[in-house]
Amino acid sequence: MTDSGFVGLADRLARVRSDIDDAARAAGREPAELTTIVVTKFHPATLVRDLFELGVRDFGENRHQEAESKATQLRADQPDGLDLRWHFVGQLQSKKARAVRRYASVIHSLDRDSVLDALARAADEHTEPIDVLVQVNLTEDPRRGGVVEAELDRFVERAVAADGVRVRGVMGVAAIDAEPRAEFARLRGASERVREVEPSATWISGGMSGDFREAILEGATHLRIGTAITGNRPTAG
Ligand SMILES: *Cc1c(COP(=O)(O)O)cnc(C)c1O
């Protein structure tokens, strides 16, 4: 990245961090309760390196091949292991679950039995369970990603009992045409239901570049922010 590109990135990161802090205080919350994940999809590994240099440690990706390639490149920088976490936020197919499990610290998009079963089968390779969030479909459209609300209790009970995963909470994506605050209020309601099954599942992953303030007001603990920090993505997505 050019020097001016780096300065622009640093400026956007600083501005978003300060907006997040302001939104947290306005909601009567401590900024330190929030984890900001910078979504680097479509951007090269060099951008991840620049963000790492600026102090970012949590990165989000939504496609397995691209995520794996960046994880491999970043690991090559420091064979002893970089102190960073990959959050898988995209739709996940069961045949990719074992591979994603190898580099991801958190899977935000667990929403089907087949992926849960594949992660349980992959447990033989690992000593610790992987942190997962149950993605909740906040819309009325069953074709969208996420568990529909009618299925939520059954799915969460199954996930909590499964080998190889630790259910940490819920994740949601607000529909583009909906009022974000109402969407995140539904996500908070889903979080309460999940905590009746698993009281330790307190994470709420909600809020992107355009709606993180509303998510913070409704209790989000993990924000997934792309373009507001990275600038526009090189290709549409
Ligand atoms: C791309 C993406 C984001 C980040 O979106 P921005 O609008 O660029 O902040 C967050 N969550 C998911 C699931 C994504 O795919």
PDB file of all heavy atoms in Angstrom, residues 4 10 23 53 58 65-66 79 87 89 101 108 129 161 176 185 197 231:
ATOM      1  N   SER A   4       0.176   7.225   1.316  1.00  0.00           N
ATOM      2  CA  SER A   4      -1.085   7.958   1.485  1.00  0.00           C
ATOM      3  C   SER A   4      -2.237   6.977   1.702  1.00  0.00           C
ATOM      4  O   SER A   4      -3.171   7.266   2.446  1.00  0.00           O
ATOM      5  CB  SER A   4      -1.346   8.868   0.290  1.00  0.00           C
ATOM      6  OG  SER A   4      -1.599   8.087  -0.855  1.00  0.00           O
ATOM      7  N   ALA A  10      -5.475   4.509   8.248  1.00  0.00           N
ATOM      8  CA  ALA A  10      -5.319   4.850   9.669  1.00  0.00           C
ATOM      9  C   ALA A  10      -6.373   5.869  10.097  1.00  0.00           C
ATOM     10  O   ALA A  10      -6.955   5.756  11.180  1.00  0.00           O
ATOM     11  CB  ALA A  10      -3.909   5.398   9.916  1.00  0.00           C
ATOM     12  N   ALA A  23     -20.771   5.936  20.453  1.00  0.00           N
ATOM     13  CA  ALA A  23     -22.056   5.221  20.430  1.00  0.00           C
ATOM     14  C   ALA A  23     -22.204   4.370  21.690  1.00  0.00           C
ATOM     15  O   ALA A  23     -23.294   4.261  22.258  1.00  0.00           O
ATOM     16  CB  ALA A  23     -22.158   4.354  19.178  1.00  0.00           C
ATOM     17  N   GLU A  53      -0.649  -3.772  11.732  1.00  0.00           N
ATOM     18  CA  GLU A  53       0.314  -2.764  12.196  1.00  0.00           C
ATOM     19  C   GLU A  53      -0.395  -1.636  12.952  1.00  0.00           C
ATOM     20  O   GLU A  53       0.175  -1.040  13.861  1.00  0.00           O
ATOM     21  CB  GLU A  53       1.032  -2.189  10.974  1.00  0.00           C
ATOM     22  CG  GLU A  53       2.449  -1.761  11.226  1.00  0.00           C
ATOM     23  CD  GLU A  53       3.127  -1.451   9.900  1.00  0.00           C
ATOM     24  OE1 GLU A  53       3.232  -2.359   9.047  1.00  0.00           O
ATOM     25  OE2 GLU A  53       3.519  -0.293   9.723  1.00  0.00           O
ATOM     26  N   ASP A  58      -8.630  -8.592  15.139  1.00  0.00           N
ATOM     27  CA  ASP A  58      -9.779  -9.425  14.763  1.00  0.00           C
ATOM     28  C   ASP A  58     -10.173  -9.101  13.329  1.00  0.00           C
ATOM     29  O   ASP A  58     -10.499  -7.944  13.013  1.00  0.00           O
ATOM     30  CB  ASP A  58     -10.949  -9.170  15.723  1.00  0.00           C
ATOM     31  CG  ASP A  58     -10.661  -9.737  17.102  1.00  0.00           C
ATOM     32  OD1 ASP A  58     -10.910 -10.940  17.302  1.00  0.00           O
ATOM     33  OD2 ASP A  58     -10.136  -8.988  17.953  1.00  0.00           O
ATOM     34  N   GLN A  65     -11.961 -19.997   0.567  1.00  0.00           N
ATOM     35  CA  GLN A  65     -10.663 -20.025  -0.127  1.00  0.00           C
ATOM     36  C   GLN A  65      -9.868 -18.757   0.099  1.00  0.00           C
ATOM     37  O   GLN A  65      -8.655 -18.786   0.321  1.00  0.00           O
ATOM     38  CB  GLN A  65     -10.867 -20.242  -1.618  1.00  0.00           C
ATOM     39  CG  GLN A  65     -11.052 -21.720  -1.926  1.00  0.00           C
ATOM     40  CD  GLN A  65     -11.014 -22.017  -3.406  1.00  0.00           C
ATOM     41  OE1 GLN A  65     -11.290 -21.138  -4.227  1.00  0.00           O
ATOM     42  NE2 GLN A  65     -10.685 -23.239  -3.741  1.00  0.00           N
ATOM     43  N   GLU A  66     -10.577 -17.647   0.030  1.00  0.00           N
ATOM     44  CA  GLU A  66      -9.912 -16.361   0.211  1.00  0.00           C
ATOM     45  C   GLU A  66      -9.395 -16.227   1.652  1.00  0.00           C
ATOM     46  O   GLU A  66      -8.263 -15.779   1.886  1.00  0.00           O
ATOM     47  CB  GLU A  66     -10.935 -15.266  -0.108  1.00  0.00           C
ATOM     48  CG  GLU A  66     -10.361 -13.881  -0.053  1.00  0.00           C
ATOM     49  CD  GLU A  66     -11.443 -12.816  -0.270  1.00  0.00           C
ATOM     50  OE1 GLU A  66     -12.520 -13.140  -0.828  1.00  0.00           O
ATOM     51  OE2 GLU A  66     -11.186 -11.671   0.129  1.00  0.00           O
ATOM     52  N   PRO A  79       6.339 -17.331  11.670  1.00  0.00           N
ATOM     53  CA  PRO A  79       6.087 -18.757  11.856  1.00  0.00           C
ATOM     54  C   PRO A  79       5.715 -19.116  13.296  1.00  0.00           C
ATOM     55  O   PRO A  79       5.035 -20.113  13.525  1.00  0.00           O
ATOM     56  CB  PRO A  79       7.409 -19.411  11.457  1.00  0.00           C
ATOM     57  CG  PRO A  79       8.110 -18.399  10.619  1.00  0.00           C
ATOM     58  CD  PRO A  79       7.659 -17.061  11.097  1.00  0.00           C
ATOM     59  N   HIS A  87     -12.363 -14.434  11.966  1.00  0.00           N
ATOM     60  CA  HIS A  87     -13.787 -14.676  12.223  1.00  0.00           C
ATOM     61  C   HIS A  87     -14.432 -15.022  10.891  1.00  0.00           C
ATOM     62  O   HIS A  87     -14.419 -14.201   9.958  1.00  0.00           O
ATOM     63  CB  HIS A  87     -14.448 -13.416  12.790  1.00  0.00           C
ATOM     64  CG  HIS A  87     -13.905 -12.985  14.120  1.00  0.00           C
ATOM     65  ND1 HIS A  87     -14.632 -13.121  15.287  1.00  0.00           N
ATOM     66  CD2 HIS A  87     -12.719 -12.426  14.463  1.00  0.00           C
ATOM     67  CE1 HIS A  87     -13.902 -12.651  16.299  1.00  0.00           C
ATOM     68  NE2 HIS A  87     -12.744 -12.224  15.823  1.00  0.00           N
ATOM     69  N   VAL A  89     -17.492 -15.199   8.718  1.00  0.00           N
ATOM     70  CA  VAL A  89     -18.811 -14.569   8.829  1.00  0.00           C
ATOM     71  C   VAL A  89     -19.744 -14.921   7.671  1.00  0.00           C
ATOM     72  O   VAL A  89     -20.892 -14.478   7.648  1.00  0.00           O
ATOM     73  CB  VAL A  89     -18.692 -13.025   8.966  1.00  0.00           C
ATOM     74  CG1 VAL A  89     -17.821 -12.650  10.158  1.00  0.00           C
ATOM     75  CG2 VAL A  89     -18.174 -12.365   7.690  1.00  0.00           C
ATOM     76  N   ARG A 101     -12.374 -24.649  10.061  1.00  0.00           N
ATOM     77  CA  ARG A 101     -12.070 -24.902  11.473  1.00  0.00           C
ATOM     78  C   ARG A 101     -10.579 -24.784  11.776  1.00  0.00           C
ATOM     79  O   ARG A 101     -10.190 -24.449  12.889  1.00  0.00           O
ATOM     80  CB  ARG A 101     -12.582 -26.322  11.783  1.00  0.00           C
ATOM     81  CG  ARG A 101     -12.200 -26.916  13.109  1.00  0.00           C
ATOM     82  CD  ARG A 101     -13.015 -26.309  14.191  1.00  0.00           C
ATOM     83  NE  ARG A 101     -12.681 -26.815  15.510  1.00  0.00           N
ATOM     84  CZ  ARG A 101     -11.695 -26.349  16.267  1.00  0.00           C
ATOM     85  NH1 ARG A 101     -10.890 -25.419  15.808  1.00  0.00           N
ATOM     86  NH2 ARG A 101     -11.516 -26.803  17.486  1.00  0.00           N
ATOM     87  N   HIS A 108     -19.158 -17.297  12.880  1.00  0.00           N
ATOM     88  CA  HIS A 108     -20.336 -16.493  13.241  1.00  0.00           C
ATOM     89  C   HIS A 108     -21.611 -17.005  12.597  1.00  0.00           C
ATOM     90  O   HIS A 108     -22.681 -16.501  12.902  1.00  0.00           O
ATOM     91  CB  HIS A 108     -20.144 -15.044  12.776  1.00  0.00           C
ATOM     92  CG  HIS A 108     -19.153 -14.253  13.571  1.00  0.00           C
ATOM     93  ND1 HIS A 108     -19.446 -13.049  14.150  1.00  0.00           N
ATOM     94  CD2 HIS A 108     -17.860 -14.509  13.891  1.00  0.00           C
ATOM     95  CE1 HIS A 108     -18.375 -12.574  14.782  1.00  0.00           C
ATOM     96  NE2 HIS A 108     -17.392 -13.437  14.633  1.00  0.00           N
ATOM     97  N   PRO A 129     -12.708 -26.919  21.800  1.00  0.00           N
ATOM     98  CA  PRO A 129     -13.842 -26.645  20.905  1.00  0.00           C
ATOM     99  C   PRO A 129     -13.674 -25.290  20.221  1.00  0.00           C
ATOM    100  O   PRO A 129     -12.947 -24.422  20.722  1.00  0.00           O
ATOM    101  CB  PRO A 129     -15.053 -26.631  21.851  1.00  0.00           C
ATOM    102  CG  PRO A 129     -14.512 -26.378  23.207  1.00  0.00           C
ATOM    103  CD  PRO A 129     -13.094 -26.883  23.226  1.00  0.00           C
ATOM    104  N   ALA A 161     -25.245 -29.227  22.928  1.00  0.00           N
ATOM    105  CA  ALA A 161     -24.913 -30.611  23.286  1.00  0.00           C
ATOM    106  C   ALA A 161     -23.838 -31.213  22.379  1.00  0.00           C
ATOM    107  O   ALA A 161     -23.289 -32.272  22.693  1.00  0.00           O
ATOM    108  CB  ALA A 161     -26.191 -31.471  23.220  1.00  0.00           C
ATOM    109  N   ILE A 176     -31.469  -4.967   4.384  1.00  0.00           N
ATOM    110  CA  ILE A 176     -31.158  -3.632   3.860  1.00  0.00           C
ATOM    111  C   ILE A 176     -32.371  -2.703   3.932  1.00  0.00           C
ATOM    112  O   ILE A 176     -32.243  -1.524   4.206  1.00  0.00           O
ATOM    113  CB  ILE A 176     -30.688  -3.752   2.392  1.00  0.00           C
ATOM    114  CG1 ILE A 176     -29.402  -4.579   2.331  1.00  0.00           C
ATOM    115  CG2 ILE A 176     -30.464  -2.382   1.764  1.00  0.00           C
ATOM    116  CD1 ILE A 176     -29.083  -5.110   0.953  1.00  0.00           C
ATOM    117  N   ALA A 185     -33.171  -5.263  17.818  1.00  0.00           N
ATOM    118  CA  ALA A 185     -34.000  -5.601  18.983  1.00  0.00           C
ATOM    119  C   ALA A 185     -34.450  -7.070  18.879  1.00  0.00           C
ATOM    120  O   ALA A 185     -34.484  -7.792  19.884  1.00  0.00           O
ATOM    121  CB  ALA A 185     -35.198  -4.665  19.061  1.00  0.00           C
ATOM    122  N   VAL A 197     -31.050 -21.340  27.330  1.00  0.00           N
ATOM    123  CA  VAL A 197     -30.496 -22.682  27.121  1.00  0.00           C
ATOM    124  C   VAL A 197     -29.045 -22.733  27.609  1.00  0.00           C
ATOM    125  O   VAL A 197     -28.624 -23.704  28.238  1.00  0.00           O
ATOM    126  CB  VAL A 197     -30.553 -23.070  25.620  1.00  0.00           C
ATOM    127  CG1 VAL A 197     -29.996 -24.475  25.395  1.00  0.00           C
ATOM    128  CG2 VAL A 197     -31.971 -22.941  25.084  1.00  0.00           C
ATOM    129  N   GLY A 231     -12.379   1.185   3.223  1.00  0.00           N
ATOM    130  CA  GLY A 231     -12.717   1.845   1.961  1.00  0.00           C
ATOM    131  C   GLY A 231     -13.468   0.853   1.091  1.00  0.00           C
ATOM    132  O   GLY A 231     -13.711  -0.290   1.494  1.00  0.00           O
TER     133      GLY A 231
END
